[in-house]
Amino acid sequence: MKAIVLEQFGNIDNLQFKEMPVPQPQAGEVLMKVVFAAVNPYDRKVIEVYGKEAGIQLPVIPGSELSGIVEATGEGVTGFQPGDAVCGNPGTFGGCYAEYAVVKAADIVKKPDPVSFEAAAAIPVAALTASKAILDEGGLKAGEKVLIHGASGSIGSMAVQLAKAAGAYVLATGSGKNEQRIKELGADVFIDYTTQDFKTVANGVDLVLDTIGGQTQEDSFAVLRPGGRLISLIQPPSEEKAVQHQVHAKMIFGGPNADRLEKSLQQLADGVLKITVEKVYVLSDAKEALLAMKNGHRTGKLLLNP
Ligand SMILES: NC(=O)c1ccc[n+]([C@@H]2O[C@H](COP(=O)([O-])OP(=O)(O)OC[C@H]3O[C@@H](n4cnc5c(N)ncnc54)[C@H](OP(=O)(O)O)[C@@H]3O)[C@@H](O)[C@H]2O)c1
């Protein structure tokens, strides 16, 4: 099969488009023919920055979310059979940038017919991370005020929709060209981070979702009400600042969650959730897609088509 293979950490240029053996499913696993794999910021960060310290063994095929067709199942798999249309989030560097991928049966779900293969590949990381952050860990309730940073991005735009559906008042920071899209998704207030200081707009906030880190995270403590919560996807927040502002702050990680993914796909099928795909690249152009991701200013997900 054709695959994108990383043989050395440090640079996107180290990725090779090459022939690899088709992986074989072991017990509890499923072999998928990949229809689309999504490109995520984390893929690039692992290649360039974290791969070694994360203990990822080389060579490795990147990619952590995909849609496709079940080709074969390993021993003990009962929920899937060849021909099923499926999608999922098999974790960091789950081998999705390839014509075929082996995933744990527990990490994938069936794709409802009305959901396209594009949308099914684009939604798992965004929906699972955003819902874990604002609903499970953030405990967002109806009537609360939430500030979502990076709402023009994949995770943030999903968080806006989930927060609105939960009955929250939603303030959203992002880049200006996405304002209309993010307001249509449910933001009550859009703050263009390139021209506005969110601290002058937001106050008394119950929950902040930080998808940016750095100064944005630092400044977020000041807009929370006492007893408020800050959930970061980027870096552990300062414990000292949390005590000083009398708030709860922590960093969390997303991850596979089949029940939640099934629910998100149904919401997509029902038109309750939306996911935007900006561009589809052929698999051999994975480096180009990762560079576009690195350069920022995306308006939707980037996909690879083997
Ligand atoms: N902890 C976890 O488990 C987990 C899981 C998934 C993702 N993540 C991380 O979460 C981050 C977001 O992921 P994503 O897929 O949503 O990325 P994305 O699609 O690239 O979105 C990031 C968005 O943030 C906007 N932005 C940049 N600087 C900003 C600022 N100072 N204030 C407000 N908005 C700003 C960007 O706008 P412009 O580019 O137009 O300026 C872009 O729309 C990434 O760093 C990713 O690695 C963590």
Side-chain angles (χ1 to χ4, degrees):
M1 67 171 186
K2 291 277 189 279
I4 297 292
V5 184
L6 183 71
E7 295 180 335
Q8 205 184 331
F9 292 115
N11 201 309
I12 293 167
D13 274 336
N14 297 340
L15 291 168
Q16 306 285 331
F17 178 59
K18 61 192 284 189
E19 197 65 38
M20 292 290 280
V22 174
Q24 295 305 309
Q26 305 299 310
E29 293 181 336
V30 168
L31 173 67
M32 284 174 63
K33 182 162 176 40
V34 180
V35 177
F36 292 103
V39 176
N40 281 288
Y42 196 63
D43 302 346
R44 200 267 307 163
K45 291 183 198 172
V46 168
I47 293 166
E48 290 191 342
V49 192
Y50 305 129
K52 229 181 209 164
E53 70 184 64
I56 291 169
Q57 300 297 309
L58 298 175
V60 68
I61 299 174
S64 55
E65 61 182 333
L66 77 176
S67 64
I69 307 280
V70 173
E71 189 82 7
T73 57
E75 204 185 309
V77 174
T78 52
F80 300 101
Q81 52 190 21
D84 284 346
V86 293
C87 66
N89 165 209
T92 306
F93 276 50
C96 307
Y97 289 15
E99 285 182 296
Y100 292 90
V102 160
V103 299
K104 285 189 201 142
D107 293 346
I108 58 167
V109 301
K110 288 185 185 157
K111 177 187 82 60
D113 281 344
V115 175
S116 67
F117 279 100
E118 285 93 335
I123 198 170
V125 169
L128 298 181
T129 310
S131 57
K132 184 171 178 184
I134 65 163
L135 303 177
D136 303 344
E137 301 280 354
L140 187 67
K141 294 179 214 56
E144 286 195 316
K145 199 191 274 192
V146 60
L147 172 63
I148 295 166
H149 287 301
S152 46
S154 304
I155 310 279
S157 57
M158 188 57 60
V160 166
Q161 297 174 72
L162 294 169
K164 197 67 194 168
Y169 183 76
V170 182
L171 298 105
T173 69
S175 50
K177 67 177 174 179
N178 295 286
E179 176 168 359
Q180 195 185 341
R181 177 171 67 92
I182 302 309
K183 278 189 168 163
E184 282 168 9
L185 292 178
D188 295 287
V189 177
F190 183 86
I191 306 164
D192 180 350
Y193 82 92
T194 65
T195 58
Q196 285 174 286
D197 178 353
F198 71 86
K199 298 195 295 308
T200 64
V201 182
N203 58 62
V205 170
D206 297 287
L207 174 67
V208 171
L209 173 62
D210 168 33
T211 71
I212 306 298
Q215 195 60 46
T216 301
Q217 185 187 93
E218 287 268 306
D219 290 347
S220 293
F221 284 100
V223 306
L224 281 164
R225 66 162 171 83
R229 293 96 69 198
L230 186 155
I231 301 289
S232 179
L233 300 176
I234 303 298
Q235 64 191 71
S238 154
E239 285 176 27
E240 202 182 321
K241 282 215 153 209
V243 170
Q244 186 191 334
H245 289 270
Q246 300 170 50
V247 299
H248 308 279
K250 63 172 157 180
M251 180 187 176
I252 66 128
F253 293 93
N257 179 335
D259 291 343
R260 184 53 72 60
L261 182 54
E262 266 175 355
K263 185 173 174 199
S264 303
L265 286 162
Q266 197 50 54
Q267 288 175 309
L268 206 54
D270 295 342
V272 177
L273 287 182
K274 291 190 173 58
I275 186 93
T276 309
V277 172
E278 179 182 330
K279 186 166 175 179
V280 178
Y281 294 78
V282 291
L283 181 63
S284 53
D285 286 345
K287 278 188 211 177
E288 202 184 305
L290 282 157
L291 273 176
M293 174 68 66
K294 183 176 180 174
N295 292 337
H297 310 305
R298 306 273 52 84
T299 55
K301 295 283 290 199
L302 305 181
L303 301 183
L304 301 175
N305 183 212

